[in-house]
Amino acid sequence: MIDDKIRIRKKEHISGFLKGVGESDNGFGDVVLFNNSFPELNFQEISLETTFLNKSISAPLMINAITGGTKEAEEINRDLAYIAKELNIPMAVGSQSIALKYSDAVKTFMCVREIMGKEGVVIANLSANKSVEDVKKALEMIEADGIQLHLNVPQEMCMAEGDRNFKGIIKNINHIKDSIGKPIIIKEVGFGISYETAIKLREIGIEYIDVGGKGGTNFIEIEDLRYESSKYNEFYSWGIPTAHSLLMTSTAYRECNVICSGGINKSEDVIKSLILGADIVGVSGVVLRTLLENGRDSALEVLRELINNIKIYMMLLGKGSVCELKDNSYMLKGELKEIEEYIKKY
Ligand code: FNR
């Protein structure tokens, strides 16, 4: 039986997420795009198809890691998997550490692969401090196409029961990379990957990075809401805004496959992410909130609309396919321009 403390924490993450103010500036307002009056395209022929983890997907969009482990979490996972399957986009499950400890939690993750079928892209999730054996078990549990190893130091530090020792994590990631034959995605959870972190990941040959920047779900606030009175208010603004982190990561490590996530809930930000160098964009908060407040069909509709609006932006820019977006011109202003200047020092 799952320990009550863990079950309650999972519940509190969802209720804290719903209660929290969350959203802050994701930095994409500083990217300026220009209208193309001669797009030379037929809207029906614009394609969002791309590949991710060696499978073909219908849009450069994924449902990012959220939950698993409890009965309520299984319901959420089932709904999210249904949505991902309908849209033929990837889905990452939430941290599977609960299922490594309690066998009755396994089915709450396995259902995602069952619903998405063999063709679907399903991604496992664990903390980057786990052992090779645990990573292998998490991958096998859901026949995953790859695994996200998450980095969440700020969250752990604001959790009474959180980890306090973060020595040896990069060495551990390197060891995992050398020991499993599946792609590894190193992922932040809303605090952003810095230029120097991206360089460290390049040095050990990690091929996928999810920048997980600041701008949406705020895990310091979510953890803080679990206390009777606020303890960590001063850290709420900690983190690298998503657009800044994306620019840093794609500049520091050009060959990397970059997933851009953190506060992305409109198609304009998806387009800007793809132009700034992302291969695919991850969403969590926007889909979870709609699912919990208005149900599965509304959440599906929100993503359908997002996808349609991405296509409209592609028409406005005169780009017929996802790979063409990387060559699109843009102008940077404000803080993002300063970040561009700042990273020239490296
Ligand atoms: C998350 N996220 C997350 N990430 C991860 O790697 N493992 C996990 O178990 C979880 N759990 C989780 C629970 C809940 C309730 C939320 C809302 C989010 C983080 C998520 O994948 C993503 O990185 C952040 O939420 C930022 O994206 P959004 O929400 O701003 O789109």
Side-chain angles (χ1 to χ4, degrees):
M1 276 290 280
I2 298 167
D3 186 320
D4 262 0
K5 274 197 206 134
I6 300 179
R7 214 168 32 77
I8 290 166
R9 191 172 80 211
K10 292 263 163 192
K11 257 195 166 155
E12 285 174 342
H13 279 166
I14 302 283
S15 62
F17 161 77
L18 285 174
K19 258 191 265 162
V21 178
E23 310 248 311
S24 56
D25 187 359
N26 63 16
F28 282 105
D30 285 338
V31 184
V32 184
L33 304 177
F34 305 102
N35 183 48
N36 181 342
S37 305
F38 297 120
E40 292 291 344
L41 290 170
N42 174 346
F43 188 69
Q44 305 310 329
E45 288 168 11
I46 294 176
S47 166
L48 288 185
E49 264 181 38
T50 185
T51 55
F52 190 59
L53 301 179
N54 306 316
K55 285 182 180 169
S56 166
I57 57 172
S58 299
L61 194 68
M62 64 177 275
I63 298 179
N64 222 342
I66 296 177
T67 197
T70 62
K71 194 169 154 286
E72 296 82 7
E74 180 176 346
E75 278 169 32
I76 293 173
N77 273 347
R78 285 182 173 277
D79 286 341
L80 294 175
Y82 171 85
I83 293 168
K85 163 103 177 148
E86 278 292 300
L87 300 173
N88 185 31
I89 59 172
M91 170 173 166
V93 299
S95 175
Q96 290 162 267
S97 62
I98 189 169
L100 298 175
K101 214 163 158 196
Y102 305 100
S103 58
D104 47 338
V106 168
K107 65 179 194 313
T108 70
F109 294 96
M110 247 168 60
C111 63
V112 172
R113 172 55 81 196
E114 280 160 17
I115 292 169
M116 288 186 63
K118 281 233 173 307
E119 325 73 49
V121 179
V122 179
I123 303 160
N125 185 291
L126 277 182
S127 164
N129 66 7
K130 292 290 185 215
S131 67
V132 169
E133 289 65 38
D134 284 348
V135 168
K136 284 185 177 163
K137 278 184 204 155
L139 281 160
E140 279 162 20
M141 190 187 298
I142 54 172
E143 296 167 57
D145 298 281
I147 185 158
Q148 293 180 328
L149 297 177
H150 64 252
L151 307 171
N152 66 341
V153 178
Q155 179 186 3
E156 296 290 339
M157 290 307 298
C158 296
M159 254 163 93
E161 72 276 38
D163 290 340
R164 292 291 179 267
N165 181 1
F166 301 98
K167 283 185 171 178
I169 304 280
I170 192 90
K171 206 169 149 200
N172 191 50
I173 292 173
N174 198 9
H175 178 49
I176 293 171
K177 189 207 78 191
D178 290 341
S179 314
I180 63 162
K182 290 269 182 178
I184 295 174
I185 303 170
I186 298 299
K187 169 183 185 293
E188 259 292 349
V189 301
F191 307 106
I193 297 281
S194 72
Y195 192 96
E196 285 171 18
T197 301
I199 293 284
K200 282 187 188 146
L201 293 170
R202 187 183 74 188
E203 281 167 1
I204 61 164
I206 288 298
E207 292 173 355
Y208 295 82
I209 298 177
D210 181 335
V211 303
K214 182 168 77 114
T217 302
N218 182 338
F219 258 103
I220 292 181
E221 185 186 21
I222 291 177
E223 294 299 344
D224 203 33
L225 285 167
R226 296 173 58 212
Y227 299 102
E228 265 173 33
S229 62
S230 170
K231 280 176 83 166
Y232 297 106
N233 198 288
E234 89 165 270
F235 296 100
Y236 283 19
S237 58
W238 181 255
I240 308 169
T242 303
H244 301 192
S245 179
L246 173 60
L247 192 66
M248 287 181 180
T249 304
S250 56
T251 310
Y253 188 1
R254 282 186 197 286
E255 315 74 44
C256 187
N257 299 287
V258 180
I259 299 112
C260 184
S261 73
I264 300 208
N265 54 23
K266 52 183 187 172
S267 53
E268 185 185 340
D269 292 349
V270 176
I271 278 286
K272 288 177 173 176
S273 301
L274 299 171
I275 290 173
L276 283 193
D279 295 279
I280 176 170
V281 168
V283 291
S284 298
V286 65
V287 64
L288 180 62
R289 190 172 295 276
T290 317
L291 174 68
L292 297 175
E293 290 178 349
N294 302 313
R296 186 183 77 178
D297 291 347
S298 297
L300 175 58
E301 204 40 46
V302 161
L303 291 192
R304 274 201 211 285
E305 207 175 298
L306 191 79
I307 289 169
N308 188 57
N309 291 351
I310 297 170
K311 271 188 167 175
I312 295 180
Y313 273 112
M314 287 172 73
M315 176 61 93
L316 305 183
L317 296 166
K319 301 293 179 197
S321 65
V322 174
C323 61
E324 288 172 52
L325 284 167
K326 285 205 172 163
D327 304 324
N328 199 88
S329 60
Y330 60 88
M331 188 185 88
L332 301 183
K333 58 182 179 113
E335 271 188 44
L336 194 52
K337 175 96 192 137
E338 288 177 36
I339 293 287
E340 190 187 33
E341 283 303 313
Y342 169 78
I343 57 186
K344 282 187 186 149
K345 79 168 189 164
Y346 286 102

